[in-house]
Amino acid sequence: MKFLVLNGVNLNLTGRREKDVYGGETLEEINREIEAFVEGKGHRVDFIQSNFEGELCTQIQRAEGVYDGVVLNAGAFTHYSYAIRDAIASVSVPVVEVHMSNVHAREEFRHKSVLTEVCKGEILGFGKNSYILALESFLI
Ligand code: DQA
C-alpha cells in the first residue's frame, strides 16, 4: 500500500517552535522515523508539507486513486478551513486526522475541528507517534 502524510501550516517549524508542545525533533527527522516504520511493514509513504490552504486542497484532490490513505495534520487550518473539509469530502481516499498535541487540553479554539466529520477517524495527543498510530490504523 502507499500512503501520504500531509502536513499543513507551520508544521515545517516542528522542532523549532513551541518545543514543550510539539517536541524537539524536526519534521524531517519525524518523517524519516515514519518512513522507517511504514517501509518496515512493506509499504510506501510520501510526505508533503505546505503552509497554503489551497495547496493542501490540491494535494488531497491528487491523492485520489494514487494513495490508499492520507494522514493529515492540517495545523491551525483544522479549526476553520471549510475548503480543506470540502476537499476531503470530495475524495474517496480515506483521510485520518492527526494532531501531535492533545488539542482538547489546550485553548478553546482548538477544541473544534471542522475536518473530523469527513475524516475516517482522528488520532491526537501522542506527539510524533500520532502519525505512526494513524498509519497503523490503515494496516490493521
Ligand atoms: C496541531 C494542533 C493545532 O491546533 C495547531 O494549530 C498546530 C498543530 C497539532 O499537531 O497538535 O499547528 O495540529
Side-chain angles (χ1 to χ4, degrees):
M1 288 196 277
K2 198 175 172 193
F3 304 106
L4 174 65
V5 173
L6 185 57
N7 276 290
V9 63
N10 295 317
L11 272 304
N12 56 311
L13 296 180
T14 304
R16 281 180 281 158
R17 70 161 177 160
E18 299 181 87
K19 289 187 192 182
D20 51 322
V21 179
Y22 303 116
E25 284 180 82
T26 66
L27 189 62
E28 186 60 28
E29 288 166 340
I30 292 169
N31 286 350
R32 294 291 74 82
E33 289 174 48
I34 295 168
E35 190 174 53
F37 170 79
V38 173
E39 290 184 356
K41 299 263 183 189
H43 304 285
R44 286 183 295 157
V45 60
D46 290 334
F47 300 91
I48 295 172
Q49 187 277 329
S50 177
N51 289 327
F52 297 94
E53 186 180 17
E55 177 62 17
L56 295 167
C57 294
T58 297
Q59 294 303 337
I60 291 163
Q61 292 174 17
R62 284 190 183 150
E64 185 80 332
V66 176
Y67 295 101
D68 297 289
V70 176
V71 170
L72 171 66
N73 185 350
F77 290 140
T78 302
H79 311 299
Y80 63 90
S81 175
Y82 298 120
I84 293 174
R85 178 194 170 106
D86 283 353
I88 297 167
S90 301
V91 294
S92 59
V93 57
V95 177
V96 172
E97 178 182 344
V98 154
H99 302 285
M100 285 191 277
S101 65
N102 178 356
V103 286
H104 300 291
R106 301 180 65 195
E107 302 95 321
E108 195 162 349
F109 75 88
R110 298 186 203 274
H111 299 181
K112 170 76 182 166
S113 166
V114 300
L115 309 181
T116 314
E117 275 177 12
V118 293
C119 285
K120 188 176 179 210
E122 182 188 25
I123 293 176
L124 59 91
F126 296 98
K128 65 183 179 184
N129 288 324
S130 292
Y131 295 99
I132 302 270
L133 291 167
L135 286 158
E136 187 108 66
S137 77
F138 289 123
L139 302 177
I140 54 176

